[in-house]
Amino acid sequence: MAAPTVDQDLCIGCGVCAELCPAVFELRDDKSWVIGPDQCHTCDCEEAVVSCPVSAIEIR
């Protein structure tokens, strides 16, 4: 099963992903972290990927 990942070097901590998928992403220390990689069924992780302004999120 594919799971989202966040490139910490690219992430600017804008929070869009956490707003779109709070069960999957969380902001900590001004960066996004994946907290529920198996929870994409509860939201639209693809939308989080395309909404990231710096393309820091991938689904692998």
Side-chain angles (χ1 to χ4, degrees):
M1 177 159 107
T5 60
V6 177
D7 184 327
Q8 296 295 311
D9 291 330
L10 293 176
C11 180
I12 59 172
C14 72
V16 170
C17 57
E19 287 178 26
L20 292 171
C21 295
V24 178
F25 301 99
E26 156 181 290
L27 286 182
R28 261 190 268 146
D29 301 322
D30 296 325
K31 298 285 182 174
S32 176
W33 294 86
V34 176
I35 58 167
D38 60 340
Q39 296 299 308
C40 280
H41 67 280
T42 67
C43 62
D44 189 352
C45 283
E46 288 293 335
E47 181 68 21
V49 170
V50 298
S51 296
C52 179
V54 293
S55 302
I57 304 170
E58 290 185 9
I59 297 182
R60 300 181 186 190

